[in-house]
Amino acid sequence: MIASARARRAYDALRTARPEWFRNEPDGSGGIEIVTDPGRATAARRRAHRLVATHLARGRWWKYWGARLFLAVRPVPVGVVSADPFLCHLREPVRFPDGTLGLYNRIVPPPQAGPGVVVLPLVGPDNEVLLIEHYRHATREWHWEVVRGFGEPGASGAESVVRELAEELSAHPEETIPLGELHPDTGLLAHRVLLFAARIDAVGELEKREGIRQSRTVSGAEAERMVHEGGITDGFTVAALYRARLAGLFG
């Protein structure tokens, strides 16, 4: 119960700091409404408890009621479930467009963080693409990617480009080209990411502490072939290459 109260207090503080993250659409728009009324919020949590208990029971009635009893003592936390310097996990009471109440999870950035950046490094007069092979904990696999990173408080997109290139490639941009913005996963993440291309002249020491083991330079056509054949599956990298193609950077 203490953890639940802490989650609600952190949630209220986040609502105060970033009210635009919690706005509801006008009535009748068909959007998913964040519920603030205590009675409806309690009903949303109870419905979530029934769904969790049903899932855990797998058709056995005694397991269902055992799970309901456990959840009555240790309810599903609602509010800020967890937070660190990079993201906040929210679980919120909502009303779905059909009128059903329930809980919905989403991930938001820390309230003071700037937008993250994705940087497509370009080398030479032919705008060859520099890729890095990066190990990712989430997938437990190596991925060919472009440079990217979280935003820092007060930093502009251009400043974040300089920082990320220096950290990951020990490189400095000679020219920075904005390629628009991206919402990487609208079903779960509230993050907004800025896309850039950056012309660099050389690559220095790679940031191996973050799991980067090598880099390679390929033509724009070769990078797109890697996407087509499954050699590049990272969504940020696919988006940056597509935006660069639309911007005419590959001819």
Side-chain angles (χ1 to χ4, degrees), residues 84-162:
D84 62 27
F86 305 104
L87 55 85
C88 301
H89 172 198
L90 308 184
R91 183 179 293 121
E92 300 166 285
V94 301
R95 177 185 180 275
F96 294 97
D98 66 355
T100 303
L101 296 172
L103 301 180
Y104 214 149
N105 291 281
R106 62 173 169 152
I107 306 296
V108 302
Q112 305 306 320
V117 294
V118 175
V119 189
L120 177 70
L122 301 175
V123 182
D126 295 327
N127 286 338
E128 291 189 302
V129 174
L130 188 135
L131 299 171
I132 53 177
E133 193 178 25
H134 206 147
Y135 190 81
R136 292 298 181 181
H137 171 62
T139 62
R140 307 301 297 166
E141 294 180 11
W142 292 95
H143 296 272
W144 285 108
E145 302 178 353
V146 296
V147 172
R148 74 173 188 257
F150 290 99
E152 292 189 352
S156 68
E159 290 170 337
S160 296
V161 168
V162 172

Side-chain angles (χ1 to χ4, degrees), residues 46-60:
R46 287 174 177 168
R47 182 174 186 276
H49 283 181
R50 290 196 298 271
L51 293 174
V52 170
T54 299
H55 173 72
L56 294 175
R58 300 182 183 278
R60 295 173 174 84

Side-chain angles (χ1 to χ4, degrees), residues 8 12 24 46 55 57 86 90 95 103 120 122 132 163 169 172-173 178 180 182 198 223-225 232 249:
R8 289 194 297 271
D12 290 340
N24 283 324
R46 287 174 177 168
H55 173 72
F86 305 104
L90 308 184
R95 177 185 180 275
L103 301 180
L120 177 70
L122 301 175
I132 53 177
R163 185 188 71 250
L169 301 181
H172 185 81
L182 176 75
E224 291 174 330
R225 185 187 66 80
I232 294 175
L249 296 181

